[in-house]
Amino acid sequence: MTTTRRGITRACIVLLALTGIGLGATHAAMAADVPNAPEELELVAGSDLSITIEWPAVAGATSYRIYRGTASGAEGNTPIATTTDTEYKDNNLSSTPIYFYQVTAVNAAGESARSDEDASKTPPPIGTGGNVAGVTVGAGKVYYCKDALLGGFDWFQTLSGWFPSVLGSSGSDSPGDRVVDMAYAEEGTMTFNNVVVPTTGLYTVDWRYAFQGGLFPGVNNRQMGLKVNGVVITSTQSFPITGSFDVYGHSALQVRLNAGVNSIQQFAVSDHGLSRVDLMTVTPATASSPAGPTNLRATAGSTSVTLNWNASASGNPTSYRVYRGTKSDGEVPTPVATVGGGTTTFTDTGLQNNKLYFYFVDAVNAVGGSPNSNEVSVTPVAGGGGPSGGPSGGPSNPPGLLSQGRPATASSVENGGLVAANAVDGSTTTRWSSAFSDPQWLQVDLGASHPINRVVLNWQNAYGKAFQVQTSLDGTNWTTVYTTTTGTGGVQNLAVTGTGRYVRMYGTQRGTQYGYSLLEFQVYGT
């Protein structure tokens, strides 16, 4: 419960007068209220022995004070820091104690009550590993994930202790049955820095993994990222559910490695990361699998959704597979459709109006499958949802607002509760949030081409520092109508001139360590 101290008592006024302080100063102090306490603290524990505390801005606050303790309720009376920002990185901590935090807001009228105490955190140990040589097996080499360099894990407290990143699994093939748990770590990384191959060329990187629903019921197809020698290969590698923490499957992609030493990293793109990752196997590839299809977009119809995507840039796919779910990463492992390699569109029929669906597409040939496309979310509506947006019978939109209730898609979502549709639903209590990487985009389908004259971006705390607003007639070819490299978040009301059916925010540099997050994305025109 947040309490607020307001006003100055009569006794205080008398005391101020007796001590010679003028009532003019008193009236000035009375003009400002003590701010409310900050809400919703978020802590992120770093492997560099730090904890970052973040909170929403408080109206009227000019600064914030951070209090810390190593026991619940023991934050003390002396702040460890004061800042004008809405986040603070507490460095040089220890991996032994559990740290507790509270934050207050301050202005000329005084200091607020303290925020609620955040869930306790402790920094994970500084990462080691990543340099163990691979074990030769046949034509390839096997690397045990337990020997990798781990980073970015935000450990959390459970009833019986701290959730580990390395744990036992009876289904493991690694020595000691030890595997890496990449779940719940939105920024978790697992890196092998000593991947040695004899010649430059194409290699298959195969991960042996397992997961069941766990704390993510309905998540059927988790996605992870892959980085090679510092370059992101994909952020959408597919890992279909195996049904058990001890029943293992395989997910493989092809990458180009250099003769000699290479670095391969698996990284999390959401908290839906893999529960068990056992082995990485690297073998020479004899032929090329397809590149992933790109720019998947969706158009809502009545009880139907039409998907379009850009063809794979390489690998000559023989077919594309379409996957559908009812939550982010909830697409079932069996595709709902397969179309020929020369086809880049599919209409999914027999759906339920006003129900949210999620899709991705991959490509396949005789060698294997590609990374997934981006995931999109879309809601079929009666009549296909006219250009004014919104389901039939819903509230009317403000004059000139073309985007509200229209189908929205995004390059990624942080989790299943922060979907693209939230940014065009007319409510600032919901939001879209992307994965924690660059670039990312959010786009809306207006249903028909319109002249566009204004775009409003209502950012949550995670905003775009460098981004473009773009329009398109076909969802493939884009025209930039606004660009900035100095965005500061908040509500940006942008006057633009353009025409298009599709309008998107294309972010190239995040303003925080998190993703891009929009409370509302509004497009105005005629």
Side-chain angles (χ1 to χ4, degrees):
M1 178 65 69
T2 300
T3 59
T4 304
R5 302 191 294 273
R6 299 183 182 274
I8 298 178
T9 66
R10 181 176 299 175
C12 288
I13 295 174
V14 172
L15 178 60
L16 290 169
L18 290 174
T19 56
I21 300 176
L23 289 179
T26 300
H27 289 310
M30 292 177 68
D33 288 340
V34 173
N36 291 327
E39 298 178 353
E40 300 178 15
L41 299 190
E42 181 176 352
L43 304 185
V44 176
S47 57
D48 58 351
L49 296 179
S50 72
I51 294 178
T52 299
I53 309 101
E54 185 184 46
W55 57 91
V58 176
T62 56
S63 63
Y64 302 91
R65 294 174 182 168
I66 297 92
Y67 296 83
R68 181 188 69 205
T70 53
S72 179
E75 286 83 0
N77 297 319
T78 303
I80 62 167
T82 298
T83 180
T84 57
D85 294 330
T86 55
E87 70 173 48
Y88 174 74
K89 186 174 183 180
D90 194 9
N91 291 301
N92 302 316
L93 301 174
S94 168
S95 61
T96 303
I98 300 170
Y99 294 95
F100 299 80
Y101 293 87
Q102 291 177 308
V103 176
T104 61
V106 180
N107 64 13
E111 182 178 12
S112 75
R114 296 194 184 191
S115 66
D116 290 338
E117 186 179 69
D118 192 88
S120 55
K121 294 281 185 179
T122 194
I126 295 176
T128 59
N131 295 314
V132 177
V135 177
T136 299
V137 176
K141 288 187 176 181
V142 172
Y143 298 82
Y144 300 116
C145 294
K146 69 178 184 65
D147 296 328
L149 174 64
L150 305 179
F153 284 86
D154 182 18
W155 288 10
F156 62 92
Q157 194 175 27
T158 66
L159 295 176
S160 58
W162 290 96
F163 189 81
S165 55
V166 177
L167 70 168
S169 171
S170 62
S172 169
D173 282 346
S174 297
D177 294 335
R178 304 290 288 173
V179 298
V180 172
D181 192 321
M182 294 291 288
Y184 318 110
E186 293 179 348
E187 296 182 321
T189 60
M190 177 170 56
T191 307
F192 298 89
N193 288 317
N194 192 22
V195 180
V196 178
V197 297
T199 59
T200 298
L202 197 62
Y203 290 80
T204 298
V205 177
D206 179 282
W207 300 94
R208 186 175 189 267
Y209 74 96
F211 82 87
Q212 65 182 44
L215 295 181
F216 300 112
V219 171
N220 298 310
N221 206 315
R222 300 186 181 182
Q223 300 189 79
M224 302 293 289
L226 184 67
K227 183 182 290 187
V228 175
N229 294 326
V231 177
V232 174
I233 304 302
T234 181
S235 57
T236 57
Q237 184 170 358
S238 179
F239 291 84
I241 191 169
T242 64
S244 169
F245 291 132
D246 293 310
V247 173
Y248 283 77
H250 293 265
S251 178
L253 288 182
Q254 291 181 342
V255 301
R256 184 163 293 276
L257 300 180
N258 301 323
V261 179
N262 297 264
S263 170
I264 297 179
Q265 180 183 89
Q266 183 182 81
F267 62 92
V269 295
S270 77
D271 61 358
H272 293 173
L274 297 172
S275 301
R276 308 287 185 268
V277 195
D278 187 23
L279 310 175
M280 180 184 75
T281 304
V282 178
T283 54
T286 56
S288 177
S289 59
T294 59
N295 194 26
L296 177 64
R297 51 210 183 269
T299 302
S302 180
T303 70
S304 68
V305 168
T306 297
L307 302 172
N308 292 276
W309 59 90
N310 294 356
S312 299
S314 62
N316 298 317
T318 56
S319 61
Y320 293 97
R321 300 178 294 198
V322 179
Y323 298 84
R324 181 184 69 212
T326 54
K327 67 186 304 182
S328 180
D329 283 352
E331 292 87 353
V332 296
T334 302
V336 296
T338 300
V339 299
T343 301
T344 57
T345 186
F346 170 72
T347 298
D348 194 13
T349 59
L351 303 176
Q352 181 178 328
N353 280 343
N354 303 318
K355 182 175 182 178
L356 183 62
Y357 294 91
F358 293 80
Y359 294 89
F360 66 75
V361 177
D362 71 359
V364 66
N365 64 13
V367 178
S370 75
N372 298 339
S373 70
N374 55 291
E375 182 183 66
V376 296
S377 60
V378 60
T379 303
V381 291
S388 296
S392 176
S396 60
N397 292 337
L401 178 57
L402 305 174
S403 54
Q404 189 161 305
R406 296 298 310 165
T409 56
S411 54
S412 67
V413 292
E414 179 182 343
N415 61 54
L418 303 175
V419 296
N422 291 350
V424 292
D425 63 0
S427 171
T428 56
T429 63
T430 61
R431 64 186 174 97
W432 161 72
S433 184
S434 76
F436 299 175
S437 61
D438 294 308
Q440 300 290 341
W441 52 261
L442 172 81
Q443 75 181 42
V444 60
D445 177 2
L446 304 180
S449 182
H450 293 269
I452 307 301
N453 54 40
R454 185 160 63 101
V455 172
V456 179
L457 301 171
N458 188 348
W459 296 100
Q460 193 251 1
N461 293 335
Y463 64 92
K465 181 178 180 181
F467 65 89
Q468 301 169 5
V469 175
Q470 300 175 321
T471 61
S472 174
L473 296 174
D474 57 9
T476 300
N477 301 295
W478 294 91
T479 299
T480 298
V481 296
Y482 174 85
T483 185
T484 184
T485 58
T486 57
T488 57
V491 179
Q492 295 183 267
N493 195 332
L494 308 175
V496 301
T497 301
T499 300
R501 171 176 173 171
Y502 302 90
V503 181
R504 74 177 179 179
M505 183 286 300
Y506 187 84
T508 55
Q509 183 181 358
R510 292 164 290 149
T512 71
Q513 64 181 311
Y514 304 103
Y516 297 83
S517 185
L518 283 166
L519 301 174
E520 282 295 293
F521 179 54
Q522 296 179 317
V523 179
Y524 290 83
T526 58

